[in-house]
Amino acid sequence: MSTHVSEEVREALHEGRPVVALESTLVAHGLPRPRNLAVARELEELVRAGGAAPATIAVVDGTARVGLDEAALIRIAEDPTVRKLGHRDLAPALATGATGATTVSATAWLADAAGVRVFATGGLGGVHRAWSETQDESADLRLLARVATTVVCAGVKSILDVPATLQRLETLGVTVVGYGTEHFPGFYLSSSGEPVDWTLRTPEEVAGVMRAQDRLEGPRSALVVANPVPEAEQLDPALHDRVLADGLAAAKEKGIAGQAVTPFLLAYLTVHTEGASLEANLAAIRGNVRLAAEIAGAYGRSGAYGAYEVGAGDPEALGTGTRGTEARGAGGR
């Protein structure tokens, strides 16, 4: 696979220091320009402030990049032709020399391959409303059942069917824990109202679960750490419910269906909450990034990280990572 690991990430992996993966779809498609670039830089600095190396992931000119230099980050933020890549799109993107921002599924896949154990994002994809009619489900869910990645998120996007998504994650064998909460977060909201089976309260407790996963050596699957946005920074619940209901009605009236529904509703919320939904989203992401750096550090202090040689024979290539190896290395199992 044509992959490049940045010098900062490569050195951290080699020295056994914590690394946190970051998705790039937020940068390319989730925020208005030029604020998107400022936020991308801010999130990377939050990771560094937490003692970890940031690994923003994207595909640039047919090369998967685990960690972006400044030029690549600017290109992902400013180039309007940048595509949106799920993990199913990686092979054609690499083969055709495309440039694209990675979604949760593609980011988790490439992070796992590189041996990066912890990944911070905003909200996961999930089961769409009216699933019985559309059979529409995010690729995030099945992918998380295949990678040993700890994903720190604010739940799943509240425009989705949250109970059905939690049921689907259970069916797929993906562990979900609430961080400091007994209820699954609602992305823009601190709580979706749905309970979680497990609650952890410190980064060390999360790291302990990760180490227990390692010892079990069972089927590979992600650990979803559901970290709620603080109540003081959440979107007003009444406003959220009203605007979402209006947005769903507008989407139905306009005949918007399938993959077009999510971006339509997210944009509708941003406009009709006068930007408040965007600010709640960013508050959640910042909190997730800080927590992910703390978890990665706690996992390292537990003795999980060891020296990891990135790329046999090629100092800039992707190493064998966590899939199919015995030497799991920094951030890997």
Side-chain angles (χ1 to χ4, degrees):
M1 178 164 59
S2 177
T3 307
H4 178 276
V5 181
S6 73
E7 181 178 357
E8 181 179 12
V9 174
R10 186 169 66 250
E11 288 181 356
L13 291 172
H14 179 67
E15 295 170 5
R17 293 186 284 109
V19 179
V20 173
L22 302 170
E23 65 162 289
S24 52
T25 295
L26 171 73
V27 178
H29 306 291
L31 295 171
R33 299 183 180 91
R35 192 178 185 187
N36 58 341
L37 180 58
V39 169
R41 290 168 172 158
E42 177 191 0
L43 297 181
E44 289 197 341
E45 287 307 312
L46 286 175
V47 173
R48 293 187 183 101
T56 303
I57 294 177
V59 175
V60 180
D61 295 328
T63 297
R65 304 282 292 267
V66 180
L68 302 181
D69 59 21
E70 182 68 6
L73 194 64
I74 290 173
R75 182 170 177 190
I76 292 297
E78 297 183 350
D79 185 348
T81 68
V82 168
R83 300 184 61 143
K84 184 176 181 179
L85 306 177
H87 74 280
R88 68 168 191 169
D89 304 304
L90 289 175
L94 298 182
T96 62
T99 295
T102 52
T103 64
V104 167
S105 69
T107 304
W109 180 259
L110 291 171
D112 185 60
V116 178
R117 184 67 184 271
V118 181
F119 167 30
T121 187
L124 302 179
V127 177
H128 287 240
R129 296 174 186 239
W131 180 91
S132 60
E133 299 173 10
T134 64
Q135 304 290 293
D136 194 358
E137 172 187 311
S138 171
D140 294 354
L141 304 184
R142 285 183 179 270
L143 191 281
L144 292 177
R146 301 170 59 190
V147 296
T149 307
T150 294
V151 183
V152 183
C153 64
V156 300
K157 295 177 177 65
S158 56
I159 60 176
L160 303 171
D161 187 331
V162 176
T165 300
L166 288 170
Q167 181 60 55
R168 188 71 176 127
L169 287 168
E170 179 183 346
T171 299
L172 292 169
V174 176
T175 301
V176 176
V177 300
Y179 188 80
T181 180
E182 296 179 355
H183 290 90
F184 194 67
F187 190 47
Y188 299 122
L189 307 178
S190 296
S191 174
S192 67
E194 296 297 319
V196 291
D197 292 327
W198 298 96
T199 300
L200 304 178
R201 302 191 181 277
T202 67
E204 288 72 24
E205 288 185 347
V206 178
V209 174
M210 294 167 65
R211 292 297 295 154
Q213 285 183 318
D214 298 341
R215 291 192 298 271
L216 283 170
E217 297 183 349
R220 292 167 54 77
S221 63
L223 170 64
V224 173
V225 179
N227 180 41
V229 62
E231 286 190 12
E233 296 181 277
Q234 71 174 342
L235 183 61
D236 177 72
L239 176 63
H240 169 274
D241 293 349
R242 176 176 60 78
V243 174
L244 178 56
D246 292 345
L248 290 167
K252 184 175 182 179
E253 181 180 346
K254 294 176 182 292
I256 296 171
Q259 292 183 339
V261 172
T262 294
F264 173 82
L265 289 176
L266 293 177
Y268 190 95
L269 279 162
T270 298
V271 171
H272 292 273
T273 63
E274 299 181 346
S277 64
L278 178 60
E279 297 307 317
N281 183 9
L282 289 174
I285 291 170
R286 292 185 185 104
N288 295 340
V289 167
R290 294 189 188 98
L291 178 58
E294 293 175 357
I295 290 170
Y299 185 63
R301 290 191 297 273
S302 72
Y305 296 154
Y308 178 79
E309 196 65 39
V310 179
D314 180 355
E316 293 189 342
L318 178 69
T320 51
T322 63
R323 289 199 286 268
T325 67
E326 293 181 1
R328 296 298 182 183
R333 287 180 64 178

Short mmCIF file of all heavy atoms in Angstrom, two decimals, residues 40-92:
data_model
loop_
_atom_site.label_atom_id
_atom_site.label_comp_id
_atom_site.label_asym_id
_atom_site.label_seq_id
_atom_site.Cartn_x
_atom_site.Cartn_y
_atom_site.Cartn_z
N ALA A 40 -8.28 22.66 12.38
CA ALA A 40 -7.37 21.52 12.18
C ALA A 40 -6.07 21.74 12.94
O ALA A 40 -5.56 20.81 13.61
CB ALA A 40 -7.10 21.34 10.69
N ARG A 41 -5.53 22.92 12.84
CA ARG A 41 -4.28 23.22 13.57
C ARG A 41 -4.51 23.20 15.08
O ARG A 41 -3.68 22.70 15.84
CB ARG A 41 -3.76 24.59 13.14
CG ARG A 41 -3.22 24.63 11.71
CD ARG A 41 -2.98 26.06 11.27
NE ARG A 41 -2.30 26.14 9.98
CZ ARG A 41 -2.34 27.21 9.20
NH1 ARG A 41 -3.05 28.27 9.55
NH2 ARG A 41 -1.69 27.21 8.04
N GLU A 42 -5.67 23.74 15.51
CA GLU A 42 -5.98 23.76 16.94
C GLU A 42 -6.06 22.35 17.51
O GLU A 42 -5.52 22.07 18.60
CB GLU A 42 -7.31 24.48 17.17
CG GLU A 42 -7.76 24.48 18.62
CD GLU A 42 -9.19 24.95 18.80
OE1 GLU A 42 -9.86 25.28 17.80
OE2 GLU A 42 -9.66 24.96 19.96
N LEU A 43 -6.72 21.43 16.79
CA LEU A 43 -6.88 20.07 17.30
C LEU A 43 -5.53 19.37 17.39
O LEU A 43 -5.27 18.63 18.36
CB LEU A 43 -7.83 19.29 16.40
CG LEU A 43 -9.27 19.82 16.34
CD1 LEU A 43 -10.12 18.94 15.43
CD2 LEU A 43 -9.89 19.92 17.73
N GLU A 44 -4.66 19.59 16.42
CA GLU A 44 -3.33 18.98 16.49
C GLU A 44 -2.57 19.52 17.70
O GLU A 44 -1.88 18.76 18.39
CB GLU A 44 -2.56 19.24 15.20
CG GLU A 44 -3.10 18.46 14.00
CD GLU A 44 -2.11 18.40 12.86
OE1 GLU A 44 -1.18 19.23 12.83
OE2 GLU A 44 -2.26 17.51 11.98
N GLU A 45 -2.69 20.82 17.98
CA GLU A 45 -2.00 21.40 19.13
C GLU A 45 -2.57 20.87 20.45
O GLU A 45 -1.83 20.71 21.43
CB GLU A 45 -2.06 22.92 19.08
CG GLU A 45 -1.16 23.52 18.01
CD GLU A 45 0.27 23.04 18.11
OE1 GLU A 45 0.84 23.05 19.23
OE2 GLU A 45 0.84 22.63 17.07
N LEU A 46 -3.87 20.60 20.48
CA LEU A 46 -4.46 20.01 21.69
C LEU A 46 -3.89 18.63 21.96
O LEU A 46 -3.65 18.26 23.11
CB LEU A 46 -5.98 19.93 21.54
CG LEU A 46 -6.76 21.23 21.66
CD1 LEU A 46 -8.24 21.00 21.38
CD2 LEU A 46 -6.58 21.85 23.04
N VAL A 47 -3.66 17.86 20.90
CA VAL A 47 -3.05 16.54 21.06
C VAL A 47 -1.64 16.68 21.61
O VAL A 47 -1.24 15.99 22.57
CB VAL A 47 -3.02 15.77 19.73
CG1 VAL A 47 -2.23 14.47 19.87
CG2 VAL A 47 -4.44 15.46 19.26
N ARG A 48 -0.86 17.61 21.04
CA ARG A 48 0.52 17.81 21.50
C ARG A 48 0.54 18.28 22.95
O ARG A 48 1.38 17.85 23.75
CB ARG A 48 1.23 18.82 20.61
CG ARG A 48 1.46 18.32 19.18
CD ARG A 48 2.31 19.28 18.37
NE ARG A 48 2.45 18.81 17.00
CZ ARG A 48 1.75 19.29 15.96
NH1 ARG A 48 0.88 20.29 16.15
NH2 ARG A 48 1.93 18.79 14.75
N ALA A 49 -0.40 19.18 23.30
CA ALA A 49 -0.46 19.68 24.68
C ALA A 49 -0.76 18.55 25.65
O ALA A 49 -0.38 18.62 26.83
CB ALA A 49 -1.52 20.77 24.79
N GLY A 50 -1.44 17.51 25.16
CA GLY A 50 -1.75 16.35 25.99
C GLY A 50 -0.65 15.32 26.02
O GLY A 50 -0.82 14.24 26.60
N GLY A 51 0.49 15.62 25.39
CA GLY A 51 1.64 14.72 25.46
C GLY A 51 1.68 13.66 24.39
O GLY A 51 2.47 12.71 24.50
N ALA A 52 0.87 13.79 23.34
CA ALA A 52 0.84 12.79 22.27
C ALA A 52 1.15 13.46 20.93
O ALA A 52 1.13 14.69 20.81
CB ALA A 52 -0.52 12.10 22.21
N ALA A 53 1.44 12.65 19.94
CA ALA A 53 1.69 13.15 18.59
C ALA A 53 0.41 13.06 17.79
O ALA A 53 -0.25 12.01 17.78
CB ALA A 53 2.79 12.34 17.91
N PRO A 54 0.01 14.12 17.08
CA PRO A 54 -1.21 14.06 16.27
C PRO A 54 -0.93 13.39 14.92
O PRO A 54 0.07 13.66 14.27
CB PRO A 54 -1.56 15.54 16.07
CG PRO A 54 -0.24 16.25 16.12
CD PRO A 54 0.61 15.47 17.08
N ALA A 55 -1.85 12.54 14.50
CA ALA A 55 -1.75 11.88 13.20
C ALA A 55 -3.03 12.16 12.44
O ALA A 55 -3.96 11.33 12.41
CB ALA A 55 -1.54 10.38 13.37
N THR A 56 -3.13 13.35 11.84
CA THR A 56 -4.26 13.63 10.96
C THR A 56 -4.09 12.79 9.70
O THR A 56 -3.01 12.74 9.12
CB THR A 56 -4.32 15.12 10.59
OG1 THR A 56 -4.39 15.89 11.80
CG2 THR A 56 -5.52 15.42 9.73
N ILE A 57 -5.15 12.11 9.28
CA ILE A 57 -5.05 11.12 8.21
C ILE A 57 -5.84 11.58 6.99
O ILE A 57 -6.94 12.10 7.10
CB ILE A 57 -5.53 9.74 8.71
CG1 ILE A 57 -4.57 9.24 9.79
CG2 ILE A 57 -5.67 8.74 7.59
CD1 ILE A 57 -4.96 7.92 10.44
N ALA A 58 -5.24 11.39 5.81
CA ALA A 58 -5.89 11.73 4.54
C ALA A 58 -5.17 10.98 3.43
O ALA A 58 -4.16 10.31 3.66
CB ALA A 58 -5.82 13.24 4.29
N VAL A 59 -5.70 11.07 2.23
CA VAL A 59 -5.03 10.55 1.04
C VAL A 59 -4.68 11.73 0.15
O VAL A 59 -5.54 12.56 -0.16
CB VAL A 59 -5.93 9.56 0.27
CG1 VAL A 59 -5.26 9.12 -1.04
CG2 VAL A 59 -6.23 8.34 1.13
N VAL A 60 -3.41 11.84 -0.22
CA VAL A 60 -2.92 12.96 -1.04
C VAL A 60 -2.22 12.41 -2.27
O VAL A 60 -1.23 11.67 -2.15
CB VAL A 60 -1.96 13.86 -0.24
CG1 VAL A 60 -1.46 15.02 -1.12
CG2 VAL A 60 -2.64 14.40 1.01
N ASP A 61 -2.77 12.71 -3.43
CA ASP A 61 -2.20 12.26 -4.71
C ASP A 61 -1.94 10.75 -4.72
O ASP A 61 -0.88 10.29 -5.14
CB ASP A 61 -0.91 13.02 -5.02
CG ASP A 61 -1.15 14.51 -5.24
OD1 ASP A 61 -2.23 14.86 -5.76
OD2 ASP A 61 -0.27 15.32 -4.90
N GLY A 62 -2.92 10.00 -4.22
CA GLY A 62 -2.82 8.55 -4.26
C GLY A 62 -1.96 7.93 -3.19
O GLY A 62 -1.70 6.72 -3.22
N THR A 63 -1.53 8.71 -2.21
CA THR A 63 -0.73 8.19 -1.10
C THR A 63 -1.48 8.42 0.20
O THR A 63 -1.86 9.55 0.50
CB THR A 63 0.64 8.87 -1.02
OG1 THR A 63 1.38 8.59 -2.21
CG2 THR A 63 1.44 8.37 0.18
N ALA A 64 -1.71 7.36 0.96
CA ALA A 64 -2.33 7.50 2.27
C ALA A 64 -1.32 8.14 3.20
O ALA A 64 -0.18 7.69 3.30
CB ALA A 64 -2.76 6.13 2.80
N ARG A 65 -1.74 9.19 3.88
CA ARG A 65 -0.85 9.94 4.76
C ARG A 65 -1.31 9.78 6.20
O ARG A 65 -2.45 10.14 6.55
CB ARG A 65 -0.83 11.42 4.37
CG ARG A 65 -0.45 11.70 2.91
CD ARG A 65 1.03 11.60 2.67
NE ARG A 65 1.75 12.67 3.34
CZ ARG A 65 2.06 13.84 2.74
NH1 ARG A 65 1.67 14.07 1.49
NH2 ARG A 65 2.73 14.75 3.40
N VAL A 66 -0.44 9.26 7.04
CA VAL A 66 -0.70 9.12 8.48
C VAL A 66 0.11 10.21 9.16
O VAL A 66 1.30 10.04 9.45
CB VAL A 66 -0.33 7.72 8.99
CG1 VAL A 66 -0.62 7.60 10.49
CG2 VAL A 66 -1.10 6.65 8.23
N GLY A 67 -0.53 11.34 9.37
CA GLY A 67 0.17 12.54 9.81
C GLY A 67 0.42 13.43 8.61
O GLY A 67 1.02 13.00 7.62
N LEU A 68 -0.07 14.67 8.68
CA LEU A 68 0.06 15.59 7.55
C LEU A 68 1.03 16.71 7.88
O LEU A 68 0.99 17.27 8.99
CB LEU A 68 -1.30 16.21 7.20
CG LEU A 68 -2.43 15.25 6.83
CD1 LEU A 68 -3.68 16.03 6.49
CD2 LEU A 68 -2.04 14.33 5.68
N ASP A 69 1.89 17.06 6.92
CA ASP A 69 2.70 18.25 7.08
C ASP A 69 1.83 19.47 6.79
O ASP A 69 0.66 19.35 6.41
CB ASP A 69 3.95 18.21 6.21
CG ASP A 69 3.64 18.07 4.71
OD1 ASP A 69 2.51 18.40 4.30
OD2 ASP A 69 4.54 17.62 3.97
N GLU A 70 2.39 20.66 6.96
CA GLU A 70 1.60 21.87 6.82
C GLU A 70 1.02 22.02 5.41
O GLU A 70 -0.13 22.40 5.23
CB GLU A 70 2.46 23.09 7.17
CG GLU A 70 1.72 24.42 7.10
CD GLU A 70 0.65 24.61 8.16
OE1 GLU A 70 0.52 23.75 9.06
OE2 GLU A 70 -0.08 25.63 8.09
N ALA A 71 1.83 21.69 4.40
CA ALA A 71 1.36 21.84 3.02
C ALA A 71 0.18 20.91 2.73
O ALA A 71 -0.80 21.32 2.09
CB ALA A 71 2.50 21.55 2.04
N ALA A 72 0.27 19.67 3.22
CA ALA A 72 -0.83 18.73 3.00
C ALA A 72 -2.08 19.13 3.77
O ALA A 72 -3.20 19.01 3.27
CB ALA A 72 -0.39 17.32 3.40
N LEU A 73 -1.90 19.64 4.99
CA LEU A 73 -3.05 20.08 5.78
C LEU A 73 -3.76 21.25 5.09
O LEU A 73 -4.99 21.29 5.01
CB LEU A 73 -2.59 20.48 7.18
CG LEU A 73 -3.68 20.65 8.24
CD1 LEU A 73 -4.40 19.33 8.51
CD2 LEU A 73 -3.08 21.19 9.53
N ILE A 74 -2.97 22.18 4.57
CA ILE A 74 -3.56 23.32 3.85
C ILE A 74 -4.31 22.84 2.61
O ILE A 74 -5.41 23.32 2.32
CB ILE A 74 -2.46 24.33 3.47
CG1 ILE A 74 -1.93 25.02 4.73
CG2 ILE A 74 -3.00 25.37 2.48
CD1 ILE A 74 -0.73 25.91 4.48
N ARG A 75 -3.73 21.89 1.91
CA ARG A 75 -4.40 21.40 0.70
C ARG A 75 -5.73 20.74 1.04
O ARG A 75 -6.75 20.98 0.36
CB ARG A 75 -3.50 20.41 -0.03
CG ARG A 75 -4.12 19.91 -1.33
CD ARG A 75 -3.15 19.15 -2.15
NE ARG A 75 -3.79 18.62 -3.35
CZ ARG A 75 -3.21 17.75 -4.16
NH1 ARG A 75 -1.98 17.34 -3.92
NH2 ARG A 75 -3.86 17.31 -5.22
N ILE A 76 -5.75 19.91 2.06
CA ILE A 76 -7.00 19.25 2.45
C ILE A 76 -8.04 20.29 2.86
O ILE A 76 -9.24 20.15 2.58
CB ILE A 76 -6.75 18.25 3.59
CG1 ILE A 76 -5.91 17.06 3.10
CG2 ILE A 76 -8.07 17.75 4.18
CD1 ILE A 76 -6.57 16.22 2.02
N ALA A 77 -7.60 21.36 3.50
CA ALA A 77 -8.53 22.38 3.99
C ALA A 77 -9.02 23.30 2.88
O ALA A 77 -10.16 23.78 2.93
CB ALA A 77 -7.86 23.21 5.07
N GLU A 78 -8.19 23.56 1.85
CA GLU A 78 -8.51 24.61 0.90
C GLU A 78 -8.89 24.13 -0.49
O GLU A 78 -9.52 24.89 -1.25
CB GLU A 78 -7.33 25.59 0.80
CG GLU A 78 -7.04 26.31 2.11
CD GLU A 78 -5.92 27.32 1.99
OE1 GLU A 78 -5.23 27.33 0.94
OE2 GLU A 78 -5.72 28.10 2.95
N ASP A 79 -8.53 22.92 -0.87
CA ASP A 79 -8.79 22.44 -2.22
C ASP A 79 -10.24 21.97 -2.34
O ASP A 79 -10.63 20.99 -1.71
CB ASP A 79 -7.84 21.29 -2.55
CG ASP A 79 -7.96 20.81 -4.00
OD1 ASP A 79 -8.92 21.20 -4.69
OD2 ASP A 79 -7.09 20.03 -4.43
N PRO A 80 -11.07 22.63 -3.15
CA PRO A 80 -12.48 22.25 -3.25
C PRO A 80 -12.72 20.93 -3.96
O PRO A 80 -13.83 20.41 -3.91
CB PRO A 80 -13.10 23.41 -4.04
CG PRO A 80 -11.97 23.96 -4.84
CD PRO A 80 -10.75 23.81 -3.98
N THR A 81 -11.69 20.36 -4.59
CA THR A 81 -11.86 19.09 -5.29
C THR A 81 -11.56 17.88 -4.41
O THR A 81 -11.68 16.74 -4.88
CB THR A 81 -10.96 19.03 -6.54
OG1 THR A 81 -9.57 18.98 -6.13
CG2 THR A 81 -11.17 20.24 -7.43
N VAL A 82 -11.17 18.11 -3.17
CA VAL A 82 -10.86 17.00 -2.26
C VAL A 82 -12.09 16.12 -2.08
O VAL A 82 -13.19 16.61 -1.76
CB VAL A 82 -10.37 17.53 -0.90
CG1 VAL A 82 -10.32 16.41 0.14
CG2 VAL A 82 -9.01 18.17 -1.05
N ARG A 83 -11.92 14.83 -2.29
CA ARG A 83 -13.04 13.90 -2.18
C ARG A 83 -13.25 13.45 -0.74
O ARG A 83 -12.39 13.66 0.13
CB ARG A 83 -12.80 12.68 -3.08
CG ARG A 83 -12.64 13.03 -4.54
CD ARG A 83 -12.51 11.79 -5.39
NE ARG A 83 -13.70 10.95 -5.30
CZ ARG A 83 -14.22 10.28 -6.31
NH1 ARG A 83 -13.66 10.35 -7.51
NH2 ARG A 83 -15.29 9.53 -6.15
N LYS A 84 -14.40 12.83 -0.49
CA LYS A 84 -14.72 12.24 0.81
C LYS A 84 -14.55 10.74 0.69
O LYS A 84 -15.22 10.10 -0.12
CB LYS A 84 -16.15 12.60 1.21
CG LYS A 84 -16.56 12.14 2.60
CD LYS A 84 -17.97 12.63 2.91
CE LYS A 84 -18.43 12.21 4.29
NZ LYS A 84 -19.79 12.71 4.60
N LEU A 85 -13.65 10.16 1.50
CA LEU A 85 -13.28 8.76 1.35
C LEU A 85 -13.66 7.93 2.57
O LEU A 85 -13.15 8.16 3.68
CB LEU A 85 -11.77 8.63 1.12
CG LEU A 85 -11.15 9.44 -0.02
CD1 LEU A 85 -9.65 9.23 -0.03
CD2 LEU A 85 -11.77 9.05 -1.36
N GLY A 86 -14.55 6.96 2.38
CA GLY A 86 -14.75 5.91 3.36
C GLY A 86 -13.74 4.81 3.10
O GLY A 86 -12.97 4.86 2.13
N HIS A 87 -13.71 3.78 3.95
CA HIS A 87 -12.68 2.75 3.76
C HIS A 87 -12.87 1.99 2.45
O HIS A 87 -11.91 1.51 1.87
CB HIS A 87 -12.62 1.80 4.96
CG HIS A 87 -13.75 0.82 5.05
ND1 HIS A 87 -14.99 1.15 5.56
CD2 HIS A 87 -13.82 -0.49 4.71
CE1 HIS A 87 -15.77 0.08 5.53
NE2 HIS A 87 -15.09 -0.92 5.02
N ARG A 88 -14.10 1.94 1.91
CA ARG A 88 -14.33 1.27 0.64
C ARG A 88 -13.69 2.03 -0.52
O ARG A 88 -13.45 1.46 -1.59
CB ARG A 88 -15.83 1.12 0.38
CG ARG A 88 -16.52 2.46 0.11
CD ARG A 88 -17.91 2.33 -0.44
NE ARG A 88 -18.41 3.62 -0.90
CZ ARG A 88 -19.52 3.77 -1.61
NH1 ARG A 88 -20.24 2.71 -1.94
NH2 ARG A 88 -19.90 4.97 -1.99
N ASP A 89 -13.44 3.33 -0.31
CA ASP A 89 -12.90 4.18 -1.37
C ASP A 89 -11.38 4.21 -1.39
O ASP A 89 -10.79 4.80 -2.32
CB ASP A 89 -13.41 5.62 -1.20
CG ASP A 89 -14.92 5.70 -1.17
OD1 ASP A 89 -15.55 5.22 -2.13
OD2 ASP A 89 -15.46 6.23 -0.19
N LEU A 90 -10.72 3.62 -0.40
CA LEU A 90 -9.28 3.75 -0.31
C LEU A 90 -8.56 3.13 -1.50
O LEU A 90 -7.64 3.74 -2.06
CB LEU A 90 -8.78 3.13 1.01
CG LEU A 90 -9.14 3.91 2.27
CD1 LEU A 90 -8.69 3.14 3.51
CD2 LEU A 90 -8.51 5.30 2.26
N ALA A 91 -8.95 1.93 -1.88
CA ALA A 91 -8.25 1.26 -2.98
C ALA A 91 -8.34 2.06 -4.29
O ALA A 91 -7.31 2.32 -4.93
CB ALA A 91 -8.77 -0.16 -3.17
N PRO A 92 -9.54 2.47 -4.74
CA PRO A 92 -9.57 3.27 -5.96
C PRO A 92 -8.86 4.62 -5.83
O PRO A 92 -8.28 5.11 -6.79
CB PRO A 92 -11.07 3.45 -6.24
CG PRO A 92 -11.78 3.06 -5.01
CD PRO A 92 -10.90 2.11 -4.30
#
